[in-house]
Amino acid sequence: MHTLPPEALKTLIQKQTGPCLSLFMPPGAVGTKPQQSQIHFRNLLRKAEEILAAHGLKPPDIRTFMEPLSGIAGQALVRKNRRDGLALFHSRDLMNLYALPLDVAELVIVGDRFHVKPLLPLLGDENRFFLLALSQKAVRLFEGSRFGLRERPLEHCPHSLEEALQYDEPERQVRFRSRAGAETATRSGHGAGADQVKDDILKFFRLIDRGLRDPLKEEKAPLVLAGVEYLFPIYRDANTYPYLMDEGIQGNPEEEEEENLHRQALQILKPYYERAEHDAIAQYRQSSGTGLTATDIREIVPAAVHGRVGILLVASGRQQWGVLTPETGAVTLHAAMKPGDEDLLDVAAIQTFINGGMVHLLPPGKIPGQEVLAAVYRY
């Protein structure tokens, strides 16, 4: 079982050879005992078999389809983090079980493609950020979201101050190795060696900034610094990335667990996330009455398919079952799921994402008019 990598999401939204089983189990749904998780997971697999039967599959075909999952229930016992949920995606072409860093609702769905709306928080660019963990002995870059950090390799950066000084004359390397007193002086701003150490660190940080330009050149996600406080103004002098956050994580990042770095970064970024949601809702309200907004799912779904939706606000934890007829764009709604149905909220969200629109998964009460779906059109 793996943590869901970002690149896997694009595979999941592609058309598969049906049927496609999507199964979600929330974290802590059945207590803390591993045996309880295993039993609960097997019960969800039995529910999937019942749904396959309701879709008209014969018992031999159901057994053939479900047979690859016979040993997977035990993997529900080895979650890396007990706060993770589980997500299973299975078709004739693909079978993956993921530890999911999301508080998803329990759900078992069989359709012609995978149900991925619960994963939308992992798709949105507004949820991404970078964290640069700086010390004089180590440099690490992480790509993060609301749900975790993933370290990215730094191929063209020095990884320590000593490595950076190897580009310079040998006598400065000697000074570096014996600079303990000067480093203390740097923190207090006094001492004969303070200016030299600051110059060395600034050179180090300029090399880091230069090494980050290529991997970050197309990015607009915020960058959070983690390091001891006296390094922050020096790095700001070297920085050319325009989305560096004003506030950083203070302390030696070498002594912090990734989970703690992630938690502190989210605290810094909380206003940033809230502003993105607020701006999307504000744009919807400002556009109301212009013909560029809609809340009718029968109108929004075909518009999303044709790339007209620029911003989509979707209620989390809700489904609207029905059928989209591609040839005519007609949408038929059903109160309960029927064979051949799709969650049309899922369809609208994925089509908006595929066509370059922004998708915000929000609590139902935050969507204008207490609706489950709201859209701002591009035209």
Side-chain angles (χ1 to χ4, degrees), residues 4 12 163 289 296 302 354:
L4 183 72
L12 292 173
E163 182 183 332
D296 188 342
I354 289 173

Side-chain angles (χ1 to χ4, degrees), residues 135-137 161 175-198 200-201 228 230-231 234 252 254:
S135 74
Q136 294 185 28
K137 296 181 180 179
L161 177 57
R175 281 203 300 271
F176 164 75
R177 294 190 184 98
S178 60
R179 76 180 190 284
E183 184 175 342
T184 302
T186 303
R187 300 185 189 191
S188 61
H190 302 287
D195 289 341
Q196 183 60 66
V197 173
K198 285 181 180 177
D200 288 346
I201 295 173
V228 292
Y230 79 92
L231 294 177
I234 304 175
N252 186 349
E254 295 177 57

Side-chain angles (χ1 to χ4, degrees), residues 28-290:
V30 291
T32 58
K33 293 184 178 180
Q35 292 81 3
Q36 291 177 311
S37 292
Q38 188 178 42
I39 292 169
H40 191 71
F41 192 75
R42 283 175 175 159
N43 288 338
L44 294 179
L45 292 180
R46 278 194 286 272
K47 183 176 179 180
E49 293 175 355
E50 294 171 1
I51 296 174
L52 288 165
H55 280 225
L57 265 72
K58 299 183 182 306
D61 295 328
I62 294 175
R63 285 194 295 272
T64 299
F65 181 78
M66 296 296 292
E67 194 276 332
L69 306 180
S70 59
I72 206 171
Q75 294 188 43
L77 300 175
V78 293
R79 278 178 281 179
K80 180 179 179 182
N81 186 332
R82 303 305 295 180
R83 289 172 295 178
D84 286 344
L86 297 175
L88 169 67
F89 300 99
H90 176 49
S91 68
R92 301 189 197 280
D93 302 323
L94 179 150
M95 190 270 288
N96 282 320
L97 178 68
Y98 294 111
L100 197 63
L102 293 169
D103 188 11
V104 292
E106 184 171 296
L107 200 59
V108 180
I109 292 179
V110 174
D112 292 331
R113 62 178 183 83
F114 293 123
H115 179 83
V116 299
K117 182 158 62 67
L119 308 180
L120 285 176
L122 298 174
L123 287 170
D125 285 343
E126 75 279 5
N127 293 329
R128 293 174 65 249
F129 66 91
F130 295 100
L131 189 149
L132 183 61
L134 286 174
S135 74
Q136 294 185 28
K137 296 181 180 179
V139 179
R140 293 181 296 164
L141 178 67
F142 296 92
E143 183 175 348
S145 71
R146 297 185 190 186
F147 313 104
L149 295 175
R150 182 173 65 107
E151 188 165 358
R152 289 181 51 160
L154 288 172
E155 297 179 358
H156 303 292
C157 288
H159 292 83
S160 69
L161 177 57
E162 185 171 19
E163 182 183 332
L165 293 183
Q166 288 175 3
Y167 299 112
D168 215 330
E169 62 267 20
E171 60 267 24
R172 295 189 66 187
Q173 296 181 44
V174 173
R175 281 203 300 271
F176 164 75
R177 294 190 184 98
S178 60
R179 76 180 190 284
E183 184 175 342
T184 302
T186 303
R187 300 185 189 191
S188 61
H190 302 287
D195 289 341
Q196 183 60 66
V197 173
K198 285 181 180 177
D199 288 344
D200 288 346
I201 295 173
L202 182 59
K203 172 186 172 66
F204 175 36
F205 287 170
R206 282 176 174 157
L207 290 171
I208 293 170
D209 179 72
R210 188 184 307 165
L212 291 178
R213 286 176 196 170
D214 215 41
L216 298 185
K217 66 181 178 181
E218 302 294 334
E219 296 288 351
K220 295 183 179 180
L223 172 65
V224 177
L225 289 184
V228 292
E229 186 177 4
Y230 79 92
L231 294 177
F232 288 4
I234 304 175
Y235 188 82
R236 293 188 193 287
D237 285 345
N239 174 66
T240 59
Y241 184 68
Y243 305 102
L244 177 65
M245 298 292 288
D246 292 334
E247 187 178 353
I249 301 170
Q250 296 182 17
N252 186 349
E254 295 177 57
E255 300 172 359
E256 290 284 353
E257 297 287 339
E258 285 186 20
E259 185 176 339
N260 290 333
L261 291 173
H262 179 246
R263 176 180 54 78
Q264 293 179 75
L266 290 186
Q267 193 63 34
I268 291 170
L269 290 162
K270 184 178 179 183
Y272 175 87
Y273 289 139
E274 291 175 344
R275 185 165 60 250
E277 292 180 356
H278 177 271
D279 290 349
I281 294 171
Q283 188 163 345
Y284 175 88
R285 297 191 190 283
Q286 290 169 6
S287 300
S288 293
T290 65

